[in-house]
């Protein structure tokens, strides 16, 4: 998991040094992670939207998939 403070560096296309990249990858404590259900839209390649990772209620998920 890439820390937010390193996002710009991680996305830099000129960064090609393997060791520099590997130094950015560090384990993260589970207490610092968040998990929530998301829409099944996340599984659809044609849908490329922040909506894919927004939290949904389980009841909403069932309604979305029953169509």
């Amino acid at each position: 998991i890439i820390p937010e403070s390193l996002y710009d560096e991680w996305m830099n296309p000129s960064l090609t040094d393997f060791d520099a990249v590997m130094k950015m990858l560090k384990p993260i404590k589970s207490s610092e992670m968040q998990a929530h259900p998301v829409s099944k839209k996340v599984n659809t390649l044609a849908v490329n939207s922040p909506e894919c990772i927004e939290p949904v209620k389980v009841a909403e998920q069932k309604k979305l998939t029953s169509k």
Side-chain angles (χ1 to χ4, degrees):
I1 296 179
I2 306 299
E4 190 172 351
S5 62
L6 295 175
Y7 284 177
D8 288 338
E9 189 174 351
W10 177 258
M11 296 301 294
N12 181 349
S14 66
L15 177 63
T16 58
D17 181 83
F18 179 79
D19 291 329
V21 169
M22 292 307 292
K23 286 179 184 175
M24 290 186 218
L25 301 175
K26 301 201 179 191
I28 187 170
K29 295 177 184 176
S30 60
S31 62
E32 295 178 17
M33 294 184 194
Q34 297 178 5
H36 56 263
V38 296
S39 167
K40 291 202 177 212
K41 291 178 186 179
V42 76
N43 297 328
T44 305
L45 187 59
V47 180
N48 185 11
S49 162
E51 176 185 358
C52 292
I53 60 170
E54 291 177 2
V56 296
K57 294 179 183 171
V58 175
E60 290 176 27
Q61 180 66 31
K62 288 181 181 176
K63 185 169 59 173
L64 287 171
T65 59
S66 64
K67 292 182 179 180

Coordinates of all heavy atoms in Angstrom, one line a residue:
I1 N 0.9 -1.2 0.0 CA 0.0 0.0 0.0 C 0.9 1.2 0.0 O 1.8 1.3 0.8 CB -1.0 0.0 1.2 CG1 -1.9 -1.2 1.1 CG2 -1.7 1.3 1.3 CD1 -2.9 -1.4 2.2
I2 N 0.6 2.1 -0.9 CA 1.4 3.4 -1.0 C 0.8 4.4 -0.1 O -0.4 4.8 -0.1 CB 1.3 3.9 -2.4 CG1 1.7 2.8 -3.5 CG2 2.2 5.2 -2.6 CD1 3.1 2.3 -3.3
P3 N 1.6 5.0 0.8 CA 1.2 6.1 1.7 C 0.7 7.3 0.9 O 1.4 7.6 -0.2 CB 2.4 6.4 2.6 CG 3.3 5.3 2.4 CD 3.0 4.7 1.1
E4 N -0.2 8.0 1.3 CA -0.7 9.2 0.6 C 0.4 10.2 0.3 O 0.4 10.8 -0.7 CB -1.9 9.8 1.3 CG -2.6 10.9 0.5 CD -3.9 11.4 1.2 OE1 -4.3 10.8 2.3 OE2 -4.4 12.4 0.7
S5 N 1.3 10.3 1.2 CA 2.4 11.2 1.1 C 3.3 10.9 -0.1 O 4.1 11.7 -0.6 CB 3.2 11.3 2.3 OG 3.8 10.1 2.6
L6 N 3.2 9.7 -0.6 CA 4.1 9.3 -1.8 C 3.3 9.1 -3.1 O 3.9 8.6 -4.1 CB 4.8 7.9 -1.4 CG 5.8 8.0 -0.3 CD1 6.3 6.6 0.0 CD2 6.9 8.9 -0.6
Y7 N 2.0 9.5 -3.1 CA 1.2 9.3 -4.3 C 1.9 9.9 -5.5 O 2.0 9.3 -6.6 CB -0.2 9.9 -4.2 CG -1.1 9.0 -3.3 CD1 -2.4 9.5 -3.1 CD2 -0.8 7.8 -2.8 CE1 -3.3 8.7 -2.3 CE2 -1.7 7.1 -2.0 CZ -2.9 7.5 -1.8 OH -3.8 6.8 -1.0
D8 N 2.3 11.2 -5.4 CA 2.8 11.9 -6.6 C 4.1 11.2 -7.1 O 4.3 11.0 -8.3 CB 3.1 13.4 -6.2 CG 1.8 14.2 -6.1 OD1 0.8 13.8 -6.6 OD2 1.9 15.2 -5.5
E9 N 4.9 10.8 -6.1 CA 6.2 10.1 -6.5 C 5.9 8.8 -7.2 O 6.5 8.4 -8.2 CB 7.1 10.0 -5.3 CG 8.5 9.5 -5.6 CD 9.4 9.4 -4.4 OE1 9.0 9.9 -3.3 OE2 10.5 8.8 -4.5
W10 N 4.9 8.1 -6.6 CA 4.6 6.7 -7.2 C 4.0 6.9 -8.6 O 4.3 6.0 -9.4 CB 3.5 6.1 -6.3 CG 3.0 4.8 -6.8 CD1 1.8 4.5 -7.4 CD2 3.7 3.5 -6.7 NE1 1.7 3.2 -7.7 CE2 2.8 2.6 -7.3 CE3 4.9 3.1 -6.1 CZ2 3.2 1.2 -7.3 CZ3 5.2 1.8 -6.2 CH2 4.4 0.8 -6.8
M11 N 3.3 7.9 -8.9 CA 2.7 8.1 -10.2 C 3.6 8.8 -11.2 O 3.3 8.9 -12.3 CB 1.4 8.9 -10.1 CG 0.3 8.3 -9.2 SD -0.2 6.7 -9.9 CE -1.0 7.1 -11.4
N12 N 4.8 9.1 -10.8 CA 5.8 9.8 -11.7 C 6.3 8.8 -12.7 O 6.9 7.8 -12.4 CB 7.0 10.3 -10.8 CG 8.0 11.0 -11.7 OD1 8.0 11.0 -12.9 ND2 8.9 11.6 -11.0
P13 N 5.9 9.0 -14.0 CA 6.3 8.0 -15.0 C 7.9 7.9 -15.2 O 8.3 6.9 -15.8 CB 5.7 8.5 -16.3 CG 5.3 9.9 -16.0 CD 5.2 10.1 -14.5
S14 N 8.6 8.9 -14.7 CA 10.1 8.8 -14.9 C 10.7 8.0 -13.8 O 11.9 7.8 -13.8 CB 10.7 10.2 -15.0 OG 10.5 10.9 -13.8
L15 N 10.0 7.6 -12.8 CA 10.5 6.8 -11.7 C 10.7 5.4 -12.2 O 9.7 4.7 -12.4 CB 9.6 6.8 -10.5 CG 10.0 6.0 -9.3 CD1 11.3 6.5 -8.7 CD2 9.0 5.9 -8.2
T16 N 11.9 5.0 -12.4 CA 12.2 3.7 -12.9 C 13.2 2.9 -12.1 O 13.5 1.7 -12.4 CB 12.8 3.8 -14.4 OG1 14.0 4.6 -14.3 CG2 11.8 4.4 -15.3
D17 N 13.7 3.5 -11.0 CA 14.6 2.8 -10.1 C 13.9 1.8 -9.2 O 13.1 2.2 -8.4 CB 15.4 3.9 -9.3 CG 16.4 3.2 -8.4 OD1 17.5 2.9 -8.8 OD2 16.0 2.9 -7.2
F18 N 14.2 0.5 -9.5 CA 13.5 -0.5 -8.7 C 13.7 -0.4 -7.2 O 12.7 -0.5 -6.5 CB 14.1 -1.9 -9.2 CG 13.5 -3.1 -8.5 CD1 12.2 -3.6 -8.9 CD2 14.1 -3.7 -7.4 CE1 11.7 -4.6 -8.2 CE2 13.6 -4.8 -6.8 CZ 12.3 -5.2 -7.2
D19 N 14.8 -0.1 -6.7 CA 15.1 0.0 -5.3 C 14.3 1.2 -4.7 O 13.7 1.1 -3.6 CB 16.5 0.2 -5.0 CG 17.3 -1.1 -5.2 OD1 16.8 -2.2 -5.1 OD2 18.5 -1.0 -5.6
A20 N 14.2 2.3 -5.4 CA 13.4 3.4 -5.0 C 11.9 3.1 -4.9 O 11.2 3.5 -3.9 CB 13.6 4.6 -5.9
V21 N 11.4 2.3 -5.9 CA 10.0 1.9 -5.9 C 9.8 1.0 -4.7 O 8.8 1.1 -4.0 CB 9.7 1.2 -7.2 CG1 8.3 0.6 -7.1 CG2 9.7 2.3 -8.3
M22 N 10.7 0.0 -4.5 CA 10.5 -1.0 -3.4 C 10.5 -0.3 -2.0 O 9.8 -0.8 -1.1 CB 11.5 -2.1 -3.5 CG 11.4 -2.9 -4.7 SD 9.7 -3.7 -4.9 CE 9.7 -4.8 -3.6
K23 N 11.2 0.8 -1.9 CA 11.3 1.4 -0.6 C 9.9 2.1 -0.3 O 9.6 2.3 0.9 CB 12.4 2.5 -0.6 CG 13.8 1.9 -0.5 CD 14.8 2.9 -0.5 CE 16.2 2.3 -0.5 NZ 17.3 3.2 -0.6
M24 N 9.1 2.4 -1.3 CA 7.8 3.0 -1.0 C 6.8 2.0 -0.5 O 5.8 2.3 0.1 CB 7.3 3.6 -2.3 CG 8.0 4.8 -2.8 SD 7.2 5.4 -4.2 CE 8.5 5.9 -5.2
L25 N 7.0 0.7 -0.8 CA 6.1 -0.3 -0.4 C 6.4 -0.8 1.0 O 7.4 -1.5 1.2 CB 6.2 -1.5 -1.4 CG 5.9 -1.2 -2.9 CD1 6.2 -2.4 -3.8 CD2 4.5 -0.6 -3.1
K26 N 5.5 -0.5 1.9 CA 5.6 -0.9 3.3 C 4.3 -1.5 3.8 O 3.3 -1.0 3.4 CB 6.1 0.3 4.1 CG 7.4 0.9 3.6 CD 8.0 1.7 4.7 CE 9.3 2.2 4.0 NZ 10.3 2.7 4.6
P27 N 4.4 -2.4 4.7 CA 3.2 -3.0 5.3 C 2.4 -1.9 6.0 O 3.0 -0.9 6.5 CB 3.7 -4.0 6.2 CG 5.1 -4.4 5.8 CD 5.6 -3.1 5.2
I28 N 1.1 -2.0 6.1 CA 0.3 -1.0 6.8 C -0.4 -1.8 7.9 O -0.8 -3.0 7.7 CB -0.6 -0.3 5.9 CG1 -1.4 0.8 6.6 CG2 -1.6 -1.2 5.2 CD1 -2.1 1.8 5.7
K29 N -0.6 -1.2 9.1 CA -1.3 -1.8 10.2 C -2.8 -2.0 9.8 O -3.3 -1.1 9.2 CB -1.2 -1.0 11.4 CG 0.2 -0.9 12.0 CD 0.2 0.0 13.2 CE 1.7 0.2 13.7 NZ 1.7 1.2 14.8
S30 N -3.3 -3.1 10.2 CA -4.8 -3.3 9.9 C -5.6 -2.3 10.5 O -6.7 -1.9 10.0 CB -5.2 -4.7 10.3 OG -5.0 -4.9 11.7
S31 N -5.2 -1.7 11.6 CA -6.0 -0.7 12.3 C -6.0 0.6 11.5 O -6.9 1.5 11.8 CB -5.4 -0.4 13.7 OG -4.1 0.1 13.6
E32 N -5.1 0.8 10.5 CA -5.1 1.9 9.7 C -5.9 1.7 8.4 O -6.1 2.7 7.6 CB -3.7 2.3 9.3 CG -2.9 2.8 10.6 CD -1.4 3.1 10.2 OE1 -1.1 3.3 9.1 OE2 -0.6 3.1 11.2
M33 N -6.4 0.5 8.2 CA -7.2 0.2 7.0 C -8.7 0.4 7.2 O -9.1 0.3 8.4 CB -6.9 -1.2 6.5 CG -5.5 -1.4 6.1 SD -5.4 -3.1 5.5 CE -3.7 -3.3 5.4
Q34 N -9.4 0.6 6.2 CA -10.9 0.6 6.3 C -11.4 -0.3 5.2 O -10.9 -0.4 4.1 CB -11.4 2.1 6.0 CG -10.9 3.1 7.0 CD -11.4 4.5 6.6 OE1 -12.2 4.6 5.6 NE2 -11.0 5.5 7.3
A35 N -12.5 -0.9 5.5 CA -13.2 -1.8 4.6 C -14.7 -1.5 4.6 O -15.2 -1.2 5.6 CB -13.0 -3.3 5.0
H36 N -15.3 -1.6 3.4 CA -16.7 -1.3 3.3 C -17.2 -2.0 2.0 O -16.4 -2.1 1.0 CB -17.1 0.1 3.3 CG -16.4 1.0 2.3 ND1 -15.2 1.7 2.6 CD2 -16.6 1.2 1.0 CE1 -14.8 2.3 1.5 NE2 -15.6 2.0 0.5
P37 N -18.4 -2.4 2.0 CA -19.0 -3.0 0.7 C -19.1 -1.9 -0.3 O -19.3 -0.8 0.0 CB -20.3 -3.5 1.1 CG -20.7 -2.9 2.4 CD -19.4 -2.4 3.1
V38 N -18.8 -2.3 -1.6 CA -19.0 -1.4 -2.7 C -19.9 -2.1 -3.8 O -20.2 -3.3 -3.7 CB -17.6 -1.1 -3.4 CG1 -16.7 -0.4 -2.4 CG2 -16.9 -2.4 -3.9
S39 N -20.3 -1.3 -4.7 CA -21.2 -1.7 -5.8 C -20.5 -2.8 -6.6 O -19.2 -2.7 -6.8 CB -21.6 -0.5 -6.6 OG -22.2 -1.0 -7.8
K40 N -21.2 -3.7 -7.2 CA -20.7 -4.6 -8.1 C -20.2 -4.0 -9.4 O -19.6 -4.6 -10.2 CB -21.7 -5.8 -8.4 CG -21.9 -6.6 -7.2 CD -22.4 -8.0 -7.5 CE -22.5 -8.8 -6.2 NZ -22.2 -10.1 -6.4
K41 N -20.5 -2.7 -9.6 CA -20.0 -2.0 -10.7 C -18.5 -2.0 -10.8 O -17.9 -1.8 -11.9 CB -20.5 -0.5 -10.7 CG -22.0 -0.3 -10.9 CD -22.4 1.1 -10.7 CE -23.8 1.3 -10.8 NZ -24.2 2.7 -10.6
V42 N -17.9 -2.1 -9.6 CA -16.4 -2.2 -9.6 C -15.9 -3.3 -10.4 O -14.7 -3.3 -10.9 CB -15.9 -2.3 -8.1 CG1 -16.1 -3.6 -7.6 CG2 -14.5 -1.8 -8.0
N43 N -16.7 -4.3 -10.7 CA -16.3 -5.5 -11.5 C -16.5 -5.3 -13.0 O -16.2 -6.2 -13.8 CB -17.0 -6.7 -11.1 CG -16.7 -7.1 -9.6 OD1 -15.6 -6.9 -9.2 ND2 -17.7 -7.6 -9.0
T44 N -17.0 -4.1 -13.4 CA -17.3 -3.9 -14.8 C -16.3 -2.9 -15.4 O -16.1 -1.8 -15.0 CB -18.7 -3.2 -14.9 OG1 -19.7 -4.0 -14.3 CG2 -19.1 -3.0 -16.4
L45 N -15.5 -3.4 -16.4 CA -14.4 -2.7 -17.0 C -14.9 -1.4 -17.6 O -14.2 -0.4 -17.6 CB -13.8 -3.6 -18.0 CG -12.5 -3.0 -18.7 CD1 -11.4 -2.7 -17.6 CD2 -12.0 -4.0 -19.7
A46 N -16.1 -1.4 -18.1 CA -16.7 -0.2 -18.8 C -17.0 0.9 -17.8 O -17.1 2.1 -18.2 CB -17.9 -0.6 -19.6
V47 N -17.1 0.6 -16.5 CA -17.4 1.6 -15.5 C -16.1 2.1 -14.9 O -15.5 1.3 -14.1 CB -18.4 1.1 -14.5 CG1 -18.7 2.2 -13.5 CG2 -19.7 0.6 -15.1
N48 N -15.7 3.3 -15.2 CA -14.5 3.8 -14.6 C -14.8 5.1 -13.9 O -14.7 6.2 -14.5 CB -13.4 4.1 -15.7 CG -12.1 4.5 -15.1 OD1 -11.9 4.4 -13.9 ND2 -11.2 5.0 -16.0
S49 N -15.3 5.0 -12.7 CA -15.8 6.1 -12.0 C -15.6 6.0 -10.5 O -15.5 4.9 -10.0 CB -17.4 6.2 -12.2 OG -18.0 7.0 -11.3
P50 N -15.4 7.1 -9.8 CA -15.2 7.1 -8.3 C -16.4 6.4 -7.6 O -16.3 5.9 -6.5 CB -15.1 8.5 -7.9 CG -14.7 9.3 -9.1 CD -15.3 8.5 -10.3
E51 N -17.5 6.4 -8.3 CA -18.7 5.7 -7.8 C -18.5 4.3 -7.5 O -19.1 3.7 -6.6 CB -19.9 5.9 -8.8 CG -21.1 5.2 -8.5 CD -22.2 5.2 -9.6 OE1 -21.9 5.8 -10.6 OE2 -23.2 4.7 -9.4
C52 N -17.5 3.7 -8.2 CA -17.2 2.2 -8.0 C -16.7 1.9 -6.6 O -16.9 0.8 -6.1 CB -16.2 1.8 -9.0 SG -16.8 1.7 -10.7
I53 N -16.1 2.9 -5.9 CA -15.5 2.6 -4.6 C -16.3 3.3 -3.5 O -15.9 3.2 -2.3 CB -14.0 3.0 -4.6 CG1 -13.8 4.5 -4.8 CG2 -13.2 2.1 -5.5 CD1 -12.4 5.0 -4.6
E54 N -17.4 3.9 -3.8 CA -18.2 4.5 -2.7 C -18.9 3.5 -1.9 O -19.4 2.5 -2.5 CB -19.2 5.5 -3.3 CG -18.6 6.7 -3.9 CD -19.6 7.6 -4.6 OE1 -20.9 7.3 -4.6 OE2 -19.2 8.6 -5.2
P55 N -19.0 3.6 -0.6 CA -19.7 2.6 0.2 C -21.1 2.5 -0.2 O -21.8 3.5 -0.6 CB -19.6 3.2 1.6 CG -18.4 4.2 1.6 CD -18.4 4.7 0.2
V56 N -21.6 1.3 -0.2 CA -23.1 1.0 -0.4 C -23.6 0.2 0.8 O -22.8 -0.6 1.4 CB -23.3 0.3 -1.7 CG1 -22.9 1.1 -2.9 CG2 -22.7 -1.1 -1.8
K57 N -24.9 0.3 1.0 CA -25.5 -0.6 2.0 C -25.8 -1.9 1.4 O -26.0 -2.0 0.2 CB -26.8 0.1 2.5 CG -26.6 1.3 3.3 CD -27.9 2.0 3.7 CE -27.6 3.3 4.5 NZ -28.8 4.0 4.7
V58 N -25.8 -3.0 2.1 CA -26.0 -4.3 1.6 C -27.3 -4.4 0.8 O -27.4 -4.9 -0.2 CB -25.8 -5.4 2.6 CG1 -26.2 -6.8 2.1 CG2 -24.4 -5.4 3.2
A59 N -28.4 -3.7 1.4 CA -29.7 -3.7 0.7 C -29.6 -3.1 -0.6 O -30.2 -3.5 -1.6 CB -30.7 -3.1 1.6
E60 N -28.8 -2.0 -0.8 CA -28.7 -1.3 -2.0 C -28.0 -2.2 -3.0 O -28.3 -2.3 -4.2 CB -27.9 0.0 -1.9 CG -28.6 1.1 -1.1 CD -27.7 2.3 -0.9 OE1 -26.8 2.5 -1.7 OE2 -27.9 3.0 0.0
Q61 N -27.0 -2.9 -2.6 CA -26.2 -3.8 -3.4 C -27.1 -4.9 -4.0 O -27.1 -5.2 -5.2 CB -25.1 -4.5 -2.6 CG -24.2 -5.5 -3.4 CD -23.5 -4.8 -4.5 OE1 -23.1 -3.6 -4.4 NE2 -23.2 -5.5 -5.6
K62 N -28.0 -5.5 -3.2 CA -28.9 -6.5 -3.6 C -29.9 -5.9 -4.7 O -30.2 -6.5 -5.7 CB -29.7 -7.1 -2.5 CG -28.9 -8.0 -1.6 CD -29.6 -8.6 -0.5 CE -28.7 -9.4 0.4 NZ -29.4 -10.0 1.5
K63 N -30.3 -4.7 -4.5 CA -31.2 -4.0 -5.4 C -30.5 -3.8 -6.8 O -31.1 -4.0 -7.8 CB -31.7 -2.7 -4.8 CG -32.7 -2.0 -5.7 CD -33.4 -0.8 -5.0 CE -32.4 0.2 -4.6 NZ -33.1 1.4 -4.0
L64 N -29.2 -3.4 -6.7 CA -28.5 -3.1 -7.9 C -28.2 -4.4 -8.7 O -28.2 -4.4 -10.0 CB -27.1 -2.5 -7.6 CG -27.1 -1.1 -7.1 CD1 -25.7 -0.7 -6.6 CD2 -27.5 -0.1 -8.2
T65 N -28.1 -5.5 -8.1 CA -27.7 -6.7 -8.8 C -29.0 -7.5 -9.2 O -28.9 -8.5 -10.0 CB -26.8 -7.7 -7.9 OG1 -27.5 -8.0 -6.7 CG2 -25.5 -7.0 -7.6
S66 N -30.2 -7.2 -8.7 CA -31.4 -7.9 -9.1 C -32.0 -7.4 -10.4 O -33.0 -8.0 -10.8 CB -32.4 -7.9 -7.9 OG -32.8 -6.5 -7.7
K67 N -31.4 -6.4 -11.0 CA -32.0 -5.9 -12.2 C -31.7 -6.8 -13.4 O -30.7 -7.4 -13.5 CB -31.5 -4.5 -12.5 CG -32.1 -3.5 -11.5 CD -31.6 -2.1 -11.8 CE -32.2 -1.1 -10.8 NZ -31.8 0.2 -11.0

